[in-house]
Amino acid sequence: MNKSDSGIILAIVILNSIIGYVQESKAENALETLKQMSSPTAKVFRDGKLIQVPTKEIVLGDIVYLEAGDVVCADCYIAQSHSLKCDESSLTGESVEVEKQANIKLAPDTPLGDRKNMLYSGCVVTYGRGLGVVVATGMKTEMGKIAQMLNTKPVDNKTPIQQKLHGLGKVITIGVLIIALLVLIVNMAIGSNDFINSLMLAIAIAVAAIPESLTTVITIIMAMGVSRMSKQQAIIRKLHAVETLGSCQIICSDKTGTLTQNKMSVEVIFSNNTLYEKSAFNNLNNPHLFNAMALCNDSVIQQDEVTGDPTETALISCVKNIELNPEKIREKYTRLNEIPFDSNRKMMTTINQIDDEILAFTKGAPDVIVSRCTHILINGEIQPLTKSNKDEIEQNIAELSSKGLRSLAFAYKVKKSKEIEKIDENKLIFIGLTAMRDPPRETTAEAVRVCKEAGMKPIMITGDHVLTAKAIAQEVGIYNSGDIVLTGAELDDLTDDEYRKIIKQVSVYARVSPQNKVRIVEEWKNTGAVVAMTGDGVNDSPSIKSADIGIGMGKTGTEVTKQVADMVLTDDNFATIVGAVSEGRKIYSNIKKVIQFLFGTNLVEVLSILLVTLIYPALGFLSALQILFINLITDSLPALSLSVEKAEKDSMKKPPRPKDEKLFAGVWGSMLVQVLYQTACVVATFGICMAQTGDNALAITLCFAVLSISQIFHLVNVRTEKSIFATNIFSNKLYWLTFVLCIGINIAVISIPSVASVFGMIPLTLAQWGIVFAVAISIIPVIEIYKFICWLINRKKAKK
């Protein structure tokens, strides 16, 4: 190798490094932007309004609003507490929830775990709600002080496919070193006694065997795919989810807000033993019911704008629509105490001062509320709740639920004081129930159809009434005749063996608990399925964490849910999940195409060098410089075009790929044909040229041109699993741009005498270029014939 070769190799390596650095920087910047999009937020009061801001914008003195499911954004002094409890295990190691109190003074030396008047950054609110005044942020928080004491090691963020490639790379490196050493020894023994020439040959083989641009291209494909997903409202928080999405077989989805629009409206009210349609709400005389709708409600009313849980905002809107003022009701009837809602009790209670009385208002799941009532309010008169009353209430609930309406029951009781415990949520007086409509999203039914067509099973998991869940599931296509609808209580009664026998028939789960959700996910995983799970509440976080793909809700989701999720939906839409699966399949398919292309072409180079060296040991062949040029220019640039390759038309009509699928699964046959044919073309070109002309330089030039240009043409084959005549081969404009560019570069390198001499080649005549292109383009019909044979074999198997 002369100084000129060394300089050119160095220049090529530097150029490739610059291109790789620029592209990877763009990819990393794109991922960083996505991280910022999914960064945690906090609810604070600014200018008297409750707004949501990124946690990094929290400053000392901010008043922070916290409720169950929130991650504490800074160290805060508790100014207000309503049954507030916090999980401080990440800070203190204590797994028991800590009950917090407002406005109490403690000694300065009080241990961290006993400071009941403080909330600490990074801890999780598990119950209740409250207000906190920020006293420390960032590295000055208790969590920050610990972080300063740690020397954190960089986390290995490689995805599964990157880990496989890393392992494969080690094997290739060892294999290349062994082959190169053997070639060096054999060449010295049978061909040349020139050690330097033999060493150069060994180096050329080593260079030929290693796909230098593979990791860069894969990083770019994944980054561009993640960026595309973000534009489709799916924020990838953990890169492994991109690959896992392509294997997804089960999608467990919440109903409210994901399958439905999350735009609740009260359609029917049952009170005074009468059903009232929306148009007749003004005729209903039941002040206690409307007071309960406004008071037993945590939504926030600010200048006619209502924010909060969609169910609760719908109740406020209903009260407004009958010309009552919920703000004045709240001002007049002060809240004295409360027991917040939780998913196990399925209800919430507030204590309010109503004129001279103290009343406890309770709202929740109808079956739970009715079971705790002993009396009923009918036309202002309190009467015992008879079996007949219960039957009528249950009959109405069932009828409304069968229409897809979601029922919510209300009750009250008179209290002697504002103190309340959970035991007080008994012996209640039933005052009525509301039935709400939350229509399915317009995109849900089509997304469910695509989901099933793609071999995935959509499952609805909800806390709603079983008939409501079934009605909505039937409307969107999740529930079909013969499917099973299972309640949480029924699931609890099943043994693991009994459940496994019916699990594949269950398409709807209703009235489920957090424990039920985890069990559903785990049992599906035990069948070998890849499971995606959606959720928004803190109670969903265990099942989301347990799933192969945890999906958090960006609009309604709590911070805890978003933190454990692999992917966050900014629009809370089921159709977005299906779209993300499609994108995940495309990304994985394109990565496999890159691997197939680069490893296949490199194998051709290695075999060509080995065979020519063995057949013509005394003659020169491709140098390390020429091989490096092919790898970094002719192979890498077209391979980059695969990052924008469109998905196969039937990609969402195929079953999910196995999660343990091998890197080269399904492509060995095509690779073998390509490698053998291209190797034969190169070796035959060298042999024929030497036989007819005896010109070693011409033979090398022809082989270089055939090898390089045939690989550019071969990428047309790799772009699609089908025949190129069954697809639009002109859909990828970037490919054709790189195609023309690489062809032009190759012609220029060979045709410009001064450049050709640097690369150890000579210019070719038009006739010789005609031969080169004829041989190079022949790879397309060869692979087309192979694809046709495979199609015939598969068709024959399908008929059997």
Side-chain angles (χ1 to χ4, degrees), residues 298-353:
D298 287 332
S299 59
V300 179
I301 307 170
Q302 296 180 114
Q303 298 178 347
D304 292 331
E305 185 179 341
V306 184
T307 57
D309 179 82
T311 301
E312 295 192 324
T313 59
L315 295 174
I316 294 296
S317 296
C318 179
V319 174
K320 280 186 172 184
N321 289 339
I322 58 172
E323 299 179 1
L324 293 175
N325 191 326
E327 286 183 276
K328 288 186 176 179
I329 292 174
R330 289 182 174 184
E331 289 173 8
K332 184 178 179 181
Y333 304 135
T334 311
R335 183 183 292 192
L336 305 175
N337 208 340
E338 67 183 84
I339 304 178
F341 175 85
D342 73 54
S343 56
N344 291 318
R345 287 168 38 251
K346 294 185 175 65
M347 58 183 175
M348 73 172 284
T349 298
T350 63
I351 305 294
N352 295 84
Q353 182 77 46

Short mmCIF file of all heavy atoms in Angstrom, two decimals, residues 298-353:
data_model
loop_
_atom_site.label_atom_id
_atom_site.label_comp_id
_atom_site.label_asym_id
_atom_site.label_seq_id
_atom_site.Cartn_x
_atom_site.Cartn_y
_atom_site.Cartn_z
N ASP A 298 -64.82 16.95 41.86
CA ASP A 298 -63.52 17.61 41.98
C ASP A 298 -63.12 18.44 40.77
O ASP A 298 -62.00 18.93 40.69
CB ASP A 298 -62.41 16.58 42.25
CG ASP A 298 -62.48 16.03 43.67
OD1 ASP A 298 -62.95 16.76 44.55
OD2 ASP A 298 -62.06 14.88 43.88
N SER A 299 -64.02 18.59 39.80
CA SER A 299 -63.68 19.40 38.63
C SER A 299 -63.52 20.86 39.06
O SER A 299 -64.10 21.31 40.05
CB SER A 299 -64.75 19.27 37.55
OG SER A 299 -66.00 19.68 38.05
N VAL A 300 -62.72 21.59 38.29
CA VAL A 300 -62.40 22.99 38.61
C VAL A 300 -63.17 23.90 37.66
O VAL A 300 -63.14 23.72 36.44
CB VAL A 300 -60.88 23.25 38.49
CG1 VAL A 300 -60.57 24.71 38.80
CG2 VAL A 300 -60.11 22.33 39.43
N ILE A 301 -63.85 24.90 38.25
CA ILE A 301 -64.62 25.86 37.45
C ILE A 301 -63.88 27.20 37.49
O ILE A 301 -63.70 27.78 38.56
CB ILE A 301 -66.05 26.03 37.99
CG1 ILE A 301 -66.75 24.67 38.12
CG2 ILE A 301 -66.86 26.96 37.09
CD1 ILE A 301 -68.07 24.73 38.86
N GLN A 302 -63.46 27.67 36.30
CA GLN A 302 -62.76 28.95 36.21
C GLN A 302 -63.33 29.76 35.07
O GLN A 302 -63.15 29.40 33.90
CB GLN A 302 -61.25 28.74 35.97
CG GLN A 302 -60.55 28.03 37.11
CD GLN A 302 -59.06 27.85 36.84
OE1 GLN A 302 -58.24 28.43 37.51
NE2 GLN A 302 -58.72 27.05 35.87
N GLN A 303 -64.04 30.84 35.41
CA GLN A 303 -64.60 31.75 34.40
C GLN A 303 -65.36 30.97 33.31
O GLN A 303 -65.05 31.04 32.13
CB GLN A 303 -63.49 32.59 33.77
CG GLN A 303 -62.78 33.48 34.77
CD GLN A 303 -61.65 34.27 34.14
OE1 GLN A 303 -61.24 33.96 33.01
NE2 GLN A 303 -61.15 35.27 34.84
N ASP A 304 -66.33 30.20 33.75
CA ASP A 304 -67.19 29.42 32.86
C ASP A 304 -66.49 28.26 32.16
O ASP A 304 -67.09 27.55 31.37
CB ASP A 304 -67.84 30.31 31.79
CG ASP A 304 -68.84 31.29 32.40
OD1 ASP A 304 -69.43 30.93 33.45
OD2 ASP A 304 -69.00 32.38 31.84
N GLU A 305 -65.20 28.08 32.44
CA GLU A 305 -64.48 26.95 31.86
C GLU A 305 -64.32 25.86 32.92
O GLU A 305 -63.88 26.13 34.04
CB GLU A 305 -63.10 27.40 31.38
CG GLU A 305 -62.34 26.31 30.65
CD GLU A 305 -60.97 26.78 30.15
OE1 GLU A 305 -60.76 28.00 30.05
OE2 GLU A 305 -60.13 25.92 29.90
N VAL A 306 -64.72 24.65 32.56
CA VAL A 306 -64.68 23.53 33.50
C VAL A 306 -63.57 22.56 33.08
O VAL A 306 -63.54 22.12 31.93
CB VAL A 306 -66.03 22.78 33.55
CG1 VAL A 306 -65.99 21.69 34.61
CG2 VAL A 306 -67.17 23.75 33.82
N THR A 307 -62.67 22.26 34.00
CA THR A 307 -61.60 21.30 33.71
C THR A 307 -61.62 20.19 34.75
O THR A 307 -62.00 20.40 35.90
CB THR A 307 -60.22 21.98 33.73
OG1 THR A 307 -60.02 22.61 35.01
CG2 THR A 307 -60.09 23.02 32.65
N GLY A 308 -61.19 19.02 34.34
CA GLY A 308 -61.16 17.89 35.25
C GLY A 308 -61.54 16.61 34.56
O GLY A 308 -61.52 16.51 33.32
N ASP A 309 -61.92 15.61 35.33
CA ASP A 309 -62.34 14.32 34.79
C ASP A 309 -63.59 14.51 33.93
O ASP A 309 -64.52 15.22 34.32
CB ASP A 309 -62.64 13.36 35.95
CG ASP A 309 -63.09 12.01 35.46
OD1 ASP A 309 -62.24 11.20 35.11
OD2 ASP A 309 -64.32 11.80 35.41
N PRO A 310 -63.62 13.91 32.73
CA PRO A 310 -64.77 14.12 31.83
C PRO A 310 -66.11 13.75 32.44
O PRO A 310 -67.12 14.40 32.14
CB PRO A 310 -64.44 13.20 30.65
CG PRO A 310 -62.95 13.10 30.66
CD PRO A 310 -62.56 13.12 32.09
N THR A 311 -66.14 12.74 33.29
CA THR A 311 -67.40 12.37 33.95
C THR A 311 -67.88 13.50 34.84
O THR A 311 -69.07 13.86 34.84
CB THR A 311 -67.21 11.08 34.78
OG1 THR A 311 -66.79 10.03 33.92
CG2 THR A 311 -68.51 10.68 35.47
N GLU A 312 -66.96 14.07 35.60
CA GLU A 312 -67.33 15.13 36.53
C GLU A 312 -67.66 16.44 35.81
O GLU A 312 -68.56 17.18 36.22
CB GLU A 312 -66.21 15.35 37.55
CG GLU A 312 -66.01 14.13 38.43
CD GLU A 312 -65.12 14.39 39.63
OE1 GLU A 312 -64.16 15.16 39.52
OE2 GLU A 312 -65.41 13.81 40.71
N THR A 313 -66.94 16.73 34.73
CA THR A 313 -67.26 17.95 33.97
C THR A 313 -68.63 17.82 33.31
O THR A 313 -69.35 18.81 33.16
CB THR A 313 -66.19 18.24 32.91
OG1 THR A 313 -66.08 17.14 32.01
CG2 THR A 313 -64.84 18.51 33.54
N ALA A 314 -69.01 16.59 32.93
CA ALA A 314 -70.34 16.37 32.35
C ALA A 314 -71.43 16.64 33.38
O ALA A 314 -72.49 17.19 33.05
CB ALA A 314 -70.45 14.94 31.83
N LEU A 315 -71.19 16.28 34.65
CA LEU A 315 -72.16 16.54 35.71
C LEU A 315 -72.34 18.04 35.92
O LEU A 315 -73.46 18.54 36.09
CB LEU A 315 -71.70 15.88 37.02
CG LEU A 315 -71.64 14.34 37.02
CD1 LEU A 315 -71.04 13.84 38.33
CD2 LEU A 315 -73.03 13.76 36.81
N ILE A 316 -71.22 18.79 35.90
CA ILE A 316 -71.29 20.24 36.06
C ILE A 316 -72.06 20.87 34.90
O ILE A 316 -72.90 21.76 35.09
CB ILE A 316 -69.88 20.85 36.15
CG1 ILE A 316 -69.15 20.39 37.42
CG2 ILE A 316 -69.93 22.38 36.11
CD1 ILE A 316 -69.79 20.84 38.71
N SER A 317 -71.79 20.41 33.69
CA SER A 317 -72.49 20.92 32.51
C SER A 317 -73.99 20.65 32.60
O SER A 317 -74.81 21.50 32.23
CB SER A 317 -71.93 20.27 31.24
OG SER A 317 -70.59 20.62 31.05
N CYS A 318 -74.35 19.49 33.13
CA CYS A 318 -75.76 19.13 33.30
C CYS A 318 -76.44 20.09 34.27
O CYS A 318 -77.55 20.58 34.02
CB CYS A 318 -75.89 17.70 33.79
SG CYS A 318 -77.58 17.16 34.07
N VAL A 319 -75.76 20.37 35.39
CA VAL A 319 -76.31 21.30 36.38
C VAL A 319 -76.48 22.69 35.77
O VAL A 319 -77.49 23.38 35.98
CB VAL A 319 -75.39 21.36 37.63
CG1 VAL A 319 -75.87 22.44 38.60
CG2 VAL A 319 -75.36 20.01 38.33
N LYS A 320 -75.49 23.11 34.98
CA LYS A 320 -75.58 24.42 34.31
C LYS A 320 -76.75 24.48 33.33
O LYS A 320 -77.44 25.50 33.21
CB LYS A 320 -74.28 24.70 33.56
CG LYS A 320 -73.14 25.21 34.42
CD LYS A 320 -71.98 25.58 33.52
CE LYS A 320 -70.88 26.29 34.30
NZ LYS A 320 -69.79 26.74 33.41
N ASN A 321 -76.96 23.36 32.62
CA ASN A 321 -77.98 23.34 31.57
C ASN A 321 -79.40 23.46 32.11
O ASN A 321 -80.33 23.79 31.36
CB ASN A 321 -77.86 22.07 30.73
CG ASN A 321 -76.62 22.09 29.85
OD1 ASN A 321 -76.06 23.15 29.56
ND2 ASN A 321 -76.16 20.91 29.45
N ILE A 322 -79.59 23.18 33.39
CA ILE A 322 -80.94 23.36 33.97
C ILE A 322 -81.00 24.66 34.76
O ILE A 322 -81.80 24.82 35.68
CB ILE A 322 -81.34 22.15 34.85
CG1 ILE A 322 -80.32 21.93 35.97
CG2 ILE A 322 -81.50 20.91 34.02
CD1 ILE A 322 -80.77 20.88 36.98
N GLU A 323 -80.09 25.58 34.36
CA GLU A 323 -80.09 26.96 34.85
C GLU A 323 -79.81 27.06 36.34
O GLU A 323 -80.31 27.95 37.04
CB GLU A 323 -81.42 27.65 34.52
CG GLU A 323 -81.67 27.72 33.01
CD GLU A 323 -82.99 28.38 32.67
OE1 GLU A 323 -83.72 28.79 33.59
OE2 GLU A 323 -83.30 28.47 31.46
N LEU A 324 -78.98 26.13 36.85
CA LEU A 324 -78.44 26.26 38.20
C LEU A 324 -76.99 26.70 38.08
O LEU A 324 -76.35 26.50 37.05
CB LEU A 324 -78.52 24.92 38.94
CG LEU A 324 -79.94 24.41 39.26
CD1 LEU A 324 -79.86 23.02 39.89
CD2 LEU A 324 -80.66 25.37 40.19
N ASN A 325 -76.46 27.27 39.14
CA ASN A 325 -75.09 27.79 39.11
C ASN A 325 -74.22 26.95 40.04
O ASN A 325 -74.27 27.12 41.26
CB ASN A 325 -75.07 29.25 39.54
CG ASN A 325 -73.71 29.89 39.29
OD1 ASN A 325 -72.68 29.24 39.40
ND2 ASN A 325 -73.72 31.17 38.94
N PRO A 326 -73.42 26.03 39.47
CA PRO A 326 -72.61 25.15 40.33
C PRO A 326 -71.58 25.92 41.15
O PRO A 326 -71.24 25.50 42.27
CB PRO A 326 -71.93 24.21 39.33
CG PRO A 326 -72.04 24.87 38.00
CD PRO A 326 -73.26 25.72 38.04
N GLU A 327 -71.09 27.04 40.65
CA GLU A 327 -70.12 27.83 41.43
C GLU A 327 -70.77 28.38 42.69
O GLU A 327 -70.18 28.33 43.78
CB GLU A 327 -69.59 28.99 40.57
CG GLU A 327 -68.60 28.56 39.50
CD GLU A 327 -68.06 29.75 38.73
OE1 GLU A 327 -68.72 30.18 37.78
OE2 GLU A 327 -66.97 30.23 39.10
N LYS A 328 -71.99 28.91 42.56
CA LYS A 328 -72.67 29.46 43.73
C LYS A 328 -73.06 28.35 44.71
O LYS A 328 -73.06 28.54 45.93
CB LYS A 328 -73.90 30.25 43.29
CG LYS A 328 -73.55 31.57 42.61
CD LYS A 328 -74.79 32.39 42.31
CE LYS A 328 -74.38 33.75 41.71
NZ LYS A 328 -75.56 34.58 41.38
N ILE A 329 -73.41 27.18 44.16
CA ILE A 329 -73.73 26.04 45.02
C ILE A 329 -72.51 25.68 45.88
O ILE A 329 -72.63 25.45 47.09
CB ILE A 329 -74.18 24.83 44.18
CG1 ILE A 329 -75.54 25.11 43.53
CG2 ILE A 329 -74.26 23.56 45.04
CD1 ILE A 329 -76.00 24.03 42.54
N ARG A 330 -71.33 25.67 45.26
CA ARG A 330 -70.10 25.34 45.99
C ARG A 330 -69.76 26.42 47.01
O ARG A 330 -69.26 26.13 48.10
CB ARG A 330 -68.95 25.15 45.01
CG ARG A 330 -69.05 23.88 44.19
CD ARG A 330 -67.86 23.71 43.26
NE ARG A 330 -67.87 22.43 42.58
CZ ARG A 330 -66.90 22.01 41.78
NH1 ARG A 330 -65.84 22.78 41.56
NH2 ARG A 330 -66.99 20.83 41.19
N GLU A 331 -69.98 27.68 46.64
CA GLU A 331 -69.69 28.78 47.57
C GLU A 331 -70.63 28.74 48.78
O GLU A 331 -70.22 29.00 49.91
CB GLU A 331 -69.83 30.12 46.84
CG GLU A 331 -68.73 30.39 45.84
CD GLU A 331 -68.99 31.64 45.01
OE1 GLU A 331 -69.96 32.37 45.33
OE2 GLU A 331 -68.25 31.89 44.04
N LYS A 332 -71.88 28.41 48.51
CA LYS A 332 -72.89 28.42 49.57
C LYS A 332 -72.75 27.22 50.50
O LYS A 332 -72.87 27.34 51.73
CB LYS A 332 -74.29 28.43 48.94
CG LYS A 332 -75.42 28.54 49.95
CD LYS A 332 -76.77 28.60 49.23
CE LYS A 332 -77.90 28.68 50.23
NZ LYS A 332 -79.24 28.72 49.55
N TYR A 333 -72.47 26.05 49.91
CA TYR A 333 -72.42 24.81 50.68
C TYR A 333 -70.96 24.32 50.75
O TYR A 333 -70.51 23.54 49.92
CB TYR A 333 -73.32 23.74 50.07
CG TYR A 333 -74.75 24.17 49.90
CD1 TYR A 333 -75.45 23.92 48.72
CD2 TYR A 333 -75.42 24.84 50.93
CE1 TYR A 333 -76.77 24.33 48.57
CE2 TYR A 333 -76.74 25.25 50.79
CZ TYR A 333 -77.41 25.00 49.60
OH TYR A 333 -78.72 25.40 49.46
N THR A 334 -70.24 24.80 51.74
CA THR A 334 -68.80 24.58 51.85
C THR A 334 -68.46 23.10 52.05
O THR A 334 -69.15 22.40 52.81
CB THR A 334 -68.23 25.39 53.03
OG1 THR A 334 -68.70 26.72 52.93
CG2 THR A 334 -66.70 25.38 53.03
N ARG A 335 -67.41 22.68 51.39
CA ARG A 335 -66.92 21.31 51.62
C ARG A 335 -66.10 21.30 52.90
O ARG A 335 -65.12 22.04 53.05
CB ARG A 335 -66.06 20.84 50.44
CG ARG A 335 -65.58 19.39 50.60
CD ARG A 335 -64.68 18.93 49.47
NE ARG A 335 -65.38 18.80 48.19
CZ ARG A 335 -64.85 18.19 47.12
NH1 ARG A 335 -63.62 17.67 47.20
NH2 ARG A 335 -65.53 18.12 45.99
N LEU A 336 -66.46 20.40 53.82
CA LEU A 336 -65.79 20.32 55.12
C LEU A 336 -64.78 19.18 55.19
O LEU A 336 -63.78 19.27 55.90
CB LEU A 336 -66.83 20.15 56.24
CG LEU A 336 -67.95 21.20 56.30
CD1 LEU A 336 -68.97 20.83 57.36
CD2 LEU A 336 -67.36 22.58 56.59
N ASN A 337 -65.06 18.14 54.45
CA ASN A 337 -64.18 16.96 54.49
C ASN A 337 -64.49 16.09 53.28
O ASN A 337 -65.44 16.36 52.54
CB ASN A 337 -64.40 16.17 55.80
CG ASN A 337 -63.17 15.40 56.23
OD1 ASN A 337 -62.28 15.13 55.42
ND2 ASN A 337 -63.10 15.05 57.51
N GLU A 338 -63.69 15.06 53.09
CA GLU A 338 -63.94 14.19 51.94
C GLU A 338 -63.20 12.86 52.09
O GLU A 338 -62.23 12.74 52.85
CB GLU A 338 -63.47 14.88 50.66
CG GLU A 338 -61.97 15.09 50.58
CD GLU A 338 -61.56 15.85 49.34
OE1 GLU A 338 -61.61 17.09 49.35
OE2 GLU A 338 -61.19 15.17 48.35
N ILE A 339 -63.69 11.88 51.39
CA ILE A 339 -62.96 10.64 51.16
C ILE A 339 -62.83 10.51 49.65
O ILE A 339 -63.82 10.30 48.95
CB ILE A 339 -63.69 9.40 51.72
CG1 ILE A 339 -63.98 9.56 53.20
CG2 ILE A 339 -62.85 8.14 51.49
CD1 ILE A 339 -64.74 8.39 53.81
N PRO A 340 -61.63 10.70 49.10
CA PRO A 340 -61.48 10.72 47.64
C PRO A 340 -61.86 9.39 47.00
O PRO A 340 -61.90 8.34 47.66
CB PRO A 340 -59.98 11.01 47.44
CG PRO A 340 -59.53 11.60 48.73
CD PRO A 340 -60.36 10.96 49.78
N PHE A 341 -62.09 9.45 45.70
CA PHE A 341 -62.39 8.24 44.92
C PHE A 341 -61.18 7.33 44.86
O PHE A 341 -60.04 7.80 44.77
CB PHE A 341 -62.80 8.63 43.50
CG PHE A 341 -63.01 7.44 42.59
CD1 PHE A 341 -64.23 6.79 42.56
CD2 PHE A 341 -61.99 6.96 41.80
CE1 PHE A 341 -64.43 5.70 41.72
CE2 PHE A 341 -62.17 5.87 40.97
CZ PHE A 341 -63.40 5.24 40.93
N ASP A 342 -61.40 6.04 44.93
CA ASP A 342 -60.34 5.09 44.57
C ASP A 342 -60.97 3.90 43.88
O ASP A 342 -62.16 3.63 44.02
CB ASP A 342 -59.47 4.69 45.77
CG ASP A 342 -60.15 3.75 46.74
OD1 ASP A 342 -60.66 2.70 46.32
OD2 ASP A 342 -60.18 4.07 47.95
N SER A 343 -60.15 3.21 43.10
CA SER A 343 -60.66 2.17 42.20
C SER A 343 -61.12 0.92 42.93
O SER A 343 -61.82 0.10 42.35
CB SER A 343 -59.58 1.79 41.18
OG SER A 343 -58.41 1.38 41.83
N ASN A 344 -60.74 0.76 44.19
CA ASN A 344 -61.19 -0.41 44.94
C ASN A 344 -62.58 -0.19 45.51
O ASN A 344 -63.45 -1.06 45.43
CB ASN A 344 -60.20 -0.73 46.06
CG ASN A 344 -58.87 -1.23 45.53
OD1 ASN A 344 -58.83 -2.03 44.60
ND2 ASN A 344 -57.76 -0.75 46.08
N ARG A 345 -62.84 1.01 46.08
CA ARG A 345 -64.17 1.32 46.62
C ARG A 345 -65.15 1.66 45.51
O ARG A 345 -66.35 1.50 45.65
CB ARG A 345 -64.07 2.51 47.59
CG ARG A 345 -63.44 2.17 48.90
CD ARG A 345 -63.09 3.39 49.75
NE ARG A 345 -64.05 4.47 49.71
CZ ARG A 345 -63.83 5.64 49.09
NH1 ARG A 345 -62.69 5.84 48.46
NH2 ARG A 345 -64.73 6.59 49.10
N LYS A 346 -64.63 2.24 44.43
CA LYS A 346 -65.45 2.67 43.28
C LYS A 346 -66.46 3.75 43.66
O LYS A 346 -67.57 3.80 43.12
CB LYS A 346 -66.16 1.46 42.64
CG LYS A 346 -65.24 0.46 41.97
CD LYS A 346 -66.03 -0.62 41.27
CE LYS A 346 -65.13 -1.57 40.48
NZ LYS A 346 -64.24 -2.36 41.35
N MET A 347 -66.05 4.64 44.55
CA MET A 347 -66.91 5.76 44.94
C MET A 347 -66.10 6.83 45.65
O MET A 347 -64.93 6.61 46.01
CB MET A 347 -68.05 5.28 45.84
CG MET A 347 -67.61 4.57 47.10
SD MET A 347 -69.03 3.97 48.03
CE MET A 347 -68.21 3.08 49.35
N MET A 348 -66.73 8.00 45.86
CA MET A 348 -66.12 9.08 46.61
C MET A 348 -67.20 9.75 47.46
O MET A 348 -68.38 9.68 47.14
CB MET A 348 -65.46 10.11 45.69
CG MET A 348 -66.40 11.00 44.93
SD MET A 348 -65.56 12.35 44.02
CE MET A 348 -65.15 13.48 45.36
N THR A 349 -66.77 10.40 48.54
CA THR A 349 -67.71 11.04 49.46
C THR A 349 -67.19 12.41 49.87
O THR A 349 -65.99 12.58 50.11
CB THR A 349 -67.92 10.18 50.72
OG1 THR A 349 -68.49 8.93 50.34
CG2 THR A 349 -68.85 10.86 51.71
N THR A 350 -68.09 13.40 49.91
CA THR A 350 -67.73 14.72 50.45
C THR A 350 -68.69 15.07 51.59
O THR A 350 -69.85 14.63 51.62
CB THR A 350 -67.81 15.81 49.38
OG1 THR A 350 -69.16 15.93 48.92
CG2 THR A 350 -66.89 15.51 48.21
N ILE A 351 -68.18 15.86 52.54
CA ILE A 351 -69.01 16.36 53.65
C ILE A 351 -69.23 17.85 53.41
O ILE A 351 -68.26 18.61 53.26
CB ILE A 351 -68.32 16.16 55.02
CG1 ILE A 351 -67.93 14.69 55.21
CG2 ILE A 351 -69.22 16.65 56.15
CD1 ILE A 351 -69.09 13.75 55.31
N ASN A 352 -70.48 18.27 53.35
CA ASN A 352 -70.80 19.66 53.07
C ASN A 352 -71.79 20.23 54.09
O ASN A 352 -72.66 19.50 54.59
CB ASN A 352 -71.40 19.81 51.67
CG ASN A 352 -70.41 19.45 50.58
OD1 ASN A 352 -70.25 18.27 50.24
ND2 ASN A 352 -69.74 20.44 50.03
N GLN A 353 -71.62 21.50 54.37
CA GLN A 353 -72.55 22.22 55.25
C GLN A 353 -73.72 22.70 54.39
O GLN A 353 -73.57 23.60 53.55
CB GLN A 353 -71.85 23.41 55.90
CG GLN A 353 -72.70 24.19 56.87
CD GLN A 353 -72.84 23.51 58.22
OE1 GLN A 353 -71.85 23.03 58.78
NE2 GLN A 353 -74.06 23.43 58.76
#
